[in-house]
Amino acid sequence: MARSRPTATVEPIIAPQDILRWRQLTDEVFMDERIEEYIVNLVEATRHPLVYRLDFGPLVRYGASPRATIFLALATKANALLEGRGYVTPEDVKAVAGDVLRHRVILTFEAQAEEKTAEAIVAQILATVEVP
């Protein structure tokens, strides 16, 4: 592969119209209001940890934005679809929350000095915020 013209060939495994269909199916996955509220609470906990009895406030400079709520919901629906279900469970939320939130939680210098990670913060949030 360390050539200006690699010789490897790539065969498509899915057609563009199939990708569009899967996106459409993802939009049709059912999400109960309690799951929606759970997602909102997880994102809010990154911004207002004391409300959720979390004590990492000085370690987080910026929490996840409200847009993170949208993308967490979409990823959760996609996970449910990939698992073969037409509805979302709290386990779907937990399965994707780390991937969606870890780069949206910006740590302080103090957190980095203490070798804390965004993954650890998200894990703490998932362990603390009440699951529906």
Side-chain angles (χ1 to χ4, degrees):
M1 297 303 292
R3 303 174 71 170
S4 63
R5 293 186 182 167
T7 57
T9 58
V10 178
E11 297 294 325
I13 59 170
I14 189 168
Q17 63 267 22
D18 294 331
I19 294 171
L20 294 174
R21 178 68 182 135
W22 277 93
R23 287 181 69 179
Q24 192 174 40
L25 286 172
T26 299
D27 288 339
E28 295 174 16
V29 171
F30 174 76
M31 183 180 294
D32 187 273
E33 288 180 16
R34 293 172 294 178
I35 300 288
E36 291 173 355
E37 185 177 328
Y38 178 51
I39 289 172
V40 169
N41 290 343
L42 291 174
V43 172
E44 274 290 305
T46 70
R47 300 171 65 86
H48 307 287
L50 295 177
V51 172
Y52 296 89
R53 296 184 195 94
L54 290 159
D55 190 21
F56 59 75
L59 302 177
V60 175
R61 175 164 298 179
Y62 300 108
S65 74
R67 283 184 25 200
T69 307
I70 296 166
F71 293 109
L72 182 53
L74 286 172
T76 298
K77 287 181 167 190
N79 191 76
L81 184 63
L82 290 171
E83 293 292 328
R85 285 181 276 100
Y87 59 92
V88 171
T89 67
E91 287 72 31
D92 293 313
V93 178
K94 290 180 179 185
V96 299
D99 292 329
V100 174
L101 297 177
R102 75 169 163 242
H103 70 280
R104 290 179 163 93
V105 174
I106 309 302
L107 302 181
T108 62
F109 175 76
E110 291 81 9
Q112 293 171 8
E114 293 179 23
E115 298 183 358
K116 302 290 183 184
T117 64
E119 289 88 351
I121 299 294
V122 171
Q124 187 179 356
I125 291 169
L126 288 169
T128 305
V129 173
E130 185 178 343
V131 179

